[in-house]
Amino acid sequence: MERDVKQLIAQMTLEEKASLCSGLDFWHTKPIERLGIPRVMLSDGPHGLRKQEGEGDHLGLGESIRATCFPAACATAASFDEELIEKMGETLGEECQAEDLSVLLGPAVNIKRSPLCGRNFEYFSEDPYLTGKMAAAHIRGVQKWDVGTSLKHFAANNQEYNRMSCSSEVDERTLREIYLPGFEIAVKEAQPKTIMCSYNKINGTFSSENKWLLTDVLRKEWGFEGYVVTDWGAVADRVKGLEAGLDLEMPGSGGENDALIVKAVREGSLDESVLDETLERILKVLFSYVDHRHPEAVFDREADHEKAVQVEKECAVLLKNEGVLPLKKGQSVAYIGEYAEHPRYQGGGSSHINSSKVTSALESARAKGRNVTYVKGFPGDGDVCDEEELQKALAAAAAADVAVIFAGLPDAFESEGYDRDHMRMPDCQNRLIAEVAKVQPNTVVVLHNGSAVECPWAENVAAVLEMYLGGQGVGEAADALLWGEANPCGRLAETFPMKLEDNPSALNFPGDGKKVHYAEGVYVGYRYYEAKKMPVRWAFGHGLSYTEFAYSNVRISAENFGDEDEIGVSVDVTNVGSMAGKEVVQLYVKDCTGTFGRPVKELKGFAKVALEPGETKTVTLTLDARSLSYYDVDLGDWYAPSGKYELLLGHASDDIRLTAEVTFQTRKVLPLEITAATTIGELLGNPVTAQIIGQMMQKATQDERRDISSATQSESDTKMMQSMMMGMPLKSLVSYSVMTVDQLQGLMQMLKAALGQR
Ligand code: BGC
């Protein structure tokens, strides 16, 4: 039964209404007991429950209940596995029901613009499509249990430096194509119960009072039905925020902002209906939880630990392998590095979980009776070279068949609240890896980090396994993957550039503290490296397996398609190796119409398939007009120019196996403003004006032919004439005596009339 929230709102005093617009404390909404409205709890998120008893603190410093720490989004994105993430979400949803949490704050879908963002570990990818798909899966899973999610941080919050006040200066096309689609896809496909607005400003306006963002785009265009909550403390002008579409303020301002709402209504500067609409949204979400409690839900910490291990096994990315992995039974292996014993498995800040249990790779290896020795080698929590430990590590490495170094970033290197200063790993680790590789050719590096790092030793080691911040089961997962009990199947959701300076945001990150200019535009991540033909350490989508996959038989459901059509792209994938494994089929689209400012290619589809040795499966992915489109700001819509597009299928962005070509035909017409500066080329690009200009030019050419014999014109003359003509503004027709001022006026009138302009 749906509650009649309108009827409840009608019974409230103005003060009661305003009171529901902010939190009771850090984690609860306010109750109105006389109307049967209970308080409910919201809690971080995203990859585990950080439920704090009592008033709590939002910085993650205080204790929270023991919970399961699943792999962070940096890892789960690399799974490229929607089903897996949905299942993980289901487990989180059940845990929330068991712990009486109405909303789990996450997932976080900000784009990894720079490897330095301190919170990259909580974010999925540099690619908006992958981000949106993974977030939608997470939301679907959690919300199956009638628990809400909070898609965050909306929007353009891509750094920690001055995140509470800095203005992200981003042009609309870049926002639409890179920074918003993660939210858009998740909203359209999974309808999160809440969205959390970011602290920062966008082009000068705080997200918390940005009507364009919170109402025009989010609700009117995308159809968001839930409520918007502030990031904790993100309110600027409360009343302006309410009018812009901001609903719930968290944690609250001791009633200060509620009083401002009451005052604004009393003074007549805020229409009470705006407040009523906000309450409707808040109460609908509240009761969707309160009226759908699940007494059968249990938080089984043991079982969920196992699930965390299983998820992480699907996320790890095998970046390099010269045959040393998987390790073979009976080999003597030296485990080096403190993360072998105490893995780094989660990041700092609001997502920090008080883990129910953590298992290390060393412990797992010992439990399985593997032939491993262990040397700490370097400290896990800092950057201090310990000569004695280094010597011990070298001796152990030289004495063993294989050396496995468990390396990565210490806690203090990446966290919510601040960005990284550089992209390097601690010097002590880089040095140890380089030295060990000199004495042991079979050196394997296992990485624990939340985002790309520089790997100066990459050429000199035999294998690299990226575990990311893999949650509390990371050690067991690493053990299974290293020893071949599981086959790595993750793919990079971000590029690993050679060095920080190669990153497209390098000159504009993190800005001067007041503004950060997203000057690289849509050229983020692989969109940039490919356009620049820049060598990278490991490309977007890259990831090896212990088996090999062959692609064959690409086919498309139609060669031509239009605005309303969908097109199916199929390919057969075969496991041609000797171990069961999973392939991630990636589909990229390349615009071949010659349109300016488009990346070389963009990810528009993917699917993960499990294949036994020798098995073949057909993978079919679907594309629509949007998959080919860029956002045209003048049109105010997505636009794919008519023409040819290439569909690229493969194992990674730099390992395309098969391609197909389609021809797209659009009925959309770009707007054209007729002024004296409008060029002939622009007029010929518009089907309506092209007719008029075409006729005019035909006549001019005929006249000219009478004067000059075409035989005397060289190819380059013709090309020059044509291109000068295309770039010629209307006003030049007078300058070059093609027509008089009056005739030009007449022509412009005619063109305007044809376009329906005045
Ligand atoms: C973070 C959010 C988090 C909230 C509550 C904020 O500082 O940015 O991601 O959900 O605190 O802890």
Side-chain angles (χ1 to χ4, degrees):
M1 176 206 68
E2 280 278 300
R3 293 265 187 148
D4 186 352
V5 294
K6 279 202 170 109
Q7 192 256 338
L8 272 179
I9 297 166
Q11 295 176 58
M12 290 179 196
T13 64
L14 180 57
E15 283 73 11
E16 282 173 334
K17 287 183 184 178
S19 78
L20 287 186
C21 295
S22 68
L24 176 69
D25 54 32
F26 257 92
W27 304 119
H28 296 92
T29 59
K30 293 203 196 88
I32 303 182
E33 274 155 26
R34 74 175 186 93
L35 296 175
I37 301 171
R39 65 172 210 177
V40 290
M41 189 170 191
L42 295 77
S43 177
D44 286 305
H47 48 262
L49 275 48
R50 190 171 67 95
K51 182 186 178 189
Q52 293 190 313
E53 320 270 25
E55 283 193 4
D57 72 295
H58 84 296
L59 293 175
L61 305 173
E63 271 299 275
S64 51
I65 60 157
R66 286 201 169 268
T68 321
C69 179
F70 283 92
C74 56
T76 55
S79 75
F80 276 73
D81 189 335
E82 294 165 83
E83 213 177 295
L84 176 84
I85 303 314
E86 188 168 329
K87 284 245 162 62
M88 181 184 103
E90 279 180 49
T91 307
L92 288 165
E94 179 170 8
E95 292 179 355
C96 285
Q97 276 284 356
E99 287 294 335
D100 196 7
L101 297 175
S102 75
V103 173
L104 185 65
L105 303 173
V109 293
N110 299 98
I111 292 295
K112 291 186 172 189
R113 175 176 176 241
S114 161
L116 299 186
C117 172
R119 243 179 143 171
N120 270 354
F121 69 89
E122 261 186 271
Y123 300 149
F124 289 105
S125 175
E126 67 187 25
D127 181 82
Y129 179 81
L130 176 64
T131 295
K133 289 286 178 183
M134 300 314 277
H138 177 110
I139 294 164
R140 276 195 302 271
V142 175
Q143 294 195 171
K144 265 188 204 160
W145 281 91
D146 298 306
V147 168
T149 50
S150 198
L151 186 64
K152 65 190 188 181
H153 311 86
F154 193 47
N157 174 190
N158 308 91
Q159 66 189 47
E160 291 300 281
Y161 178 58
N162 272 3
R163 65 171 166 157
M164 294 192 174
S165 57
C166 191
S167 177
S168 300
E169 301 287 309
V170 206
D171 65 84
E172 189 181 354
R173 176 173 168 202
T174 301
L175 275 173
R176 296 280 194 171
E177 289 183 30
I178 304 290
Y179 297 99
L180 296 184
F183 295 96
E184 179 183 3
I185 295 169
V187 165
K188 289 181 173 167
E189 293 187 6
Q191 211 38 270
K193 295 267 172 73
T194 85
I195 281 205
M196 186 188 292
C197 75
S198 59
Y199 288 118
N200 53 284
K201 295 176 188 163
I202 301 176
N203 298 322
T205 305
F206 277 111
S207 301
S208 63
E209 53 192 46
N210 196 324
K211 183 170 174 294
W212 173 79
L213 189 71
L214 303 184
T215 297
D216 300 347
V217 174
L218 178 62
R219 294 199 165 97
K220 294 192 181 151
E221 283 185 31
W222 301 346
F224 175 62
E225 293 164 4
Y227 71 73
V228 178
V229 56
T230 58
D231 197 342
W232 266 227
V235 159
D237 180 324
R238 183 61 181 107
V239 174
K240 210 169 152 193
L242 207 63
E243 281 175 320
L246 168 68
D247 301 309
L248 179 65
E249 174 190 11
M250 286 301 285
S253 51
E256 291 285 317
N257 280 328
D258 300 351
L260 290 179
I261 296 175
V262 171
K263 186 164 169 261
V265 174
R266 291 248 155 82
E267 282 174 354
S269 57
L270 175 70
D271 197 328
E272 197 167 343
S273 66
V274 173
L275 184 56
D276 290 350
E277 278 171 29
T278 278
L279 293 182
E280 225 180 283
R281 294 193 284 256
I282 293 176
L283 290 176
K284 271 191 185 154
V285 170
L286 182 140
F287 284 115
S288 74
Y289 171 75
V290 170
D291 291 342
H292 299 92
R293 297 305 316 280
H294 290 259
E296 78 282 12
V298 285
F299 190 166
D300 182 339
R301 286 168 177 76
E302 273 304 313
D304 293 357
H305 173 82
E306 283 313 312
K307 289 181 189 168
V309 175
Q310 295 313 325
V311 174
E312 173 62 358
K313 280 188 201 164
E314 309 286 319
C315 299
V317 188
L318 183 60
L319 294 171
K320 176 175 181 178
N321 186 18
E322 286 176 348
V324 64
L325 292 180
L327 300 170
K328 283 123 210 115
K329 215 173 166 205
Q331 271 179 329
S332 68
V333 183
Y335 276 18
I336 299 167
E338 199 182 346
Y339 301 141
E341 193 183 10
H342 302 120
R344 171 136 192 280
Y345 64 95
Q346 66 170 330
S350 60
S351 67
H352 202 267
I353 304 300
N354 181 7
S355 306
S356 60
K357 173 179 177 181
V358 183
T359 43
S360 72
L362 183 61
E363 197 183 329
S364 308
R366 284 182 177 151
K368 297 223 164 165
R370 308 199 197 280
N371 187 6
V372 297
T373 55
Y374 170 61
V375 178
K376 186 170 155 192
F378 56 80
D381 61 356
D383 190 6
V384 191
C385 276
D386 183 330
E387 286 305 321
E388 208 179 308
E389 280 295 318
L390 176 64
Q391 293 312 320
K392 278 196 222 163
L394 292 178
D401 295 329
V402 181
V404 181
I405 305 171
F406 292 80
L409 295 177
D411 272 329
F413 273 50
E414 51 182 354
S415 166
E416 178 176 344
Y418 57 90
D419 299 312
R420 280 198 276 168
D421 296 330
H422 56 76
M423 211 184 117
R424 299 187 301 278
M425 285 167 38
D427 292 341
C428 65
Q429 295 192 30
N430 280 337
R431 186 175 154 214
L432 181 137
I433 296 170
E435 298 283 321
V436 167
K438 281 186 203 152
V439 302
Q440 175 51 271
N442 293 327
T443 293
V444 178
V445 177
V446 178
L447 289 172
H448 306 71
N449 46 296
S451 194
V453 287
E454 287 171 17
C455 303
W457 32 258
E459 303 286 338
N460 304 323
V461 299
V464 184
L465 178 65
E466 173 62 82
M467 300 304 293
Y468 278 112
L469 298 188
Q472 65 183 53
V474 69
E476 278 165 83
D479 177 80
L481 292 161
L482 286 170
W483 292 89
E485 287 166 11
N487 191 349
C489 58
R491 302 289 181 267
L492 283 184
E494 63 189 324
T495 310
F496 272 50
M498 290 291 184
K499 56 184 190 304
L500 176 64
E501 292 71 21
D502 292 348
N503 179 263
S505 74
L507 298 180
N508 290 289
F509 184 95
D512 64 7
K514 290 191 168 57
K515 287 183 180 176
V516 48
H517 293 276
Y518 288 40
E520 67 283 2
V522 299
Y523 293 97
V524 174
Y526 67 90
R527 288 166 167 77
Y528 175 80
Y529 301 115
E530 292 196 337
K532 294 284 286 187
K533 293 195 167 67
M534 190 180 275
V536 296
R537 180 70 70 195
W538 290 296
F540 178 85
H542 169 74
L544 306 172
S545 165
Y546 295 149
T547 186
E548 289 288 331
F549 303 99
Y551 284 60
S552 60
N553 199 16
V554 61
R555 53 233 187 251
I556 42 181
S557 60
E559 277 172 16
N560 297 290
F561 80 120
D563 296 311
E564 267 80 52
D565 303 332
E566 284 193 341
I567 190 164
V569 192
S570 302
V571 69
D572 295 344
V573 189
T574 307
N575 181 345
V576 292
S578 52
M579 186 172 177
K582 288 181 184 167
E583 171 65 331
V584 177
V585 177
Q586 300 166 40
L587 171 59
Y588 297 84
V589 172
K590 177 180 176 153
D591 178 339
C592 305
T593 67
T595 303
F596 171 76
R598 300 211 67 180
V600 176
K601 64 177 184 286
E602 300 184 276
L603 182 75
K604 295 296 170 185
F606 62 88
K608 198 168 193 174
V609 272
L611 294 163
E612 292 298 320
E615 193 184 6
T616 300
K617 278 184 187 160
T618 299
V619 171
T620 300
L621 299 163
T622 307
L623 297 174
D624 58 13
R626 170 74 183 263
S627 319
L628 314 185
S629 300
Y630 70 93
Y631 189 82
D632 192 280
V633 176
D634 294 329
L635 183 67
D637 197 1
W638 296 93
Y639 180 74
S642 295
K644 297 215 181 303
Y645 292 80
E646 224 180 334
L647 313 180
L648 313 163
L649 284 150
H651 173 83
S653 68
D654 65 345
D655 186 2
I656 297 301
R657 304 283 177 87
L658 292 170
T659 63
E661 195 182 77
V662 289
T663 304
F664 182 75
Q665 187 65 44
T666 184
R667 284 195 312 275
K668 290 185 187 175
V669 178
L670 293 180
L672 179 61
E673 201 193 347
I674 304 296
T675 69
T678 307
T679 64
I680 302 293
E682 287 170 321
L683 293 165
L684 287 173
N686 179 290
V688 176
T689 52
Q691 280 210 345
I692 301 171
I693 295 296
Q695 278 168 10
M696 199 181 90
M697 282 174 67
Q698 225 175 8
K699 181 162 181 306
T701 318
Q702 280 160 8
D703 293 350
E704 203 160 305
R705 284 230 179 91
R706 260 177 247 128
D707 301 341
I708 317 166
S709 146
S710 55
T712 63
Q713 262 186 300
S714 70
E715 200 183 317
S716 70
D717 282 347
T718 315
K719 195 171 172 198
M720 180 191 71
M721 291 285 284
Q722 270 172 0
S723 90
M724 278 179 63
M725 175 68 93
M726 295 297 271
M728 197 178 275
L730 282 173
K731 70 183 177 67
S732 312
L733 297 176
V734 176
S735 311
Y736 294 128
S737 306
V738 179
M739 54 179 65
T740 65
V741 171
D742 286 348
Q743 282 171 327
L744 176 64
Q745 291 301 336
L747 174 64
M748 285 173 65
Q749 286 307 330
M750 190 196 296
L751 291 168
K752 283 184 186 177
L755 290 171
Q757 295 170 10
R758 284 159 28 107

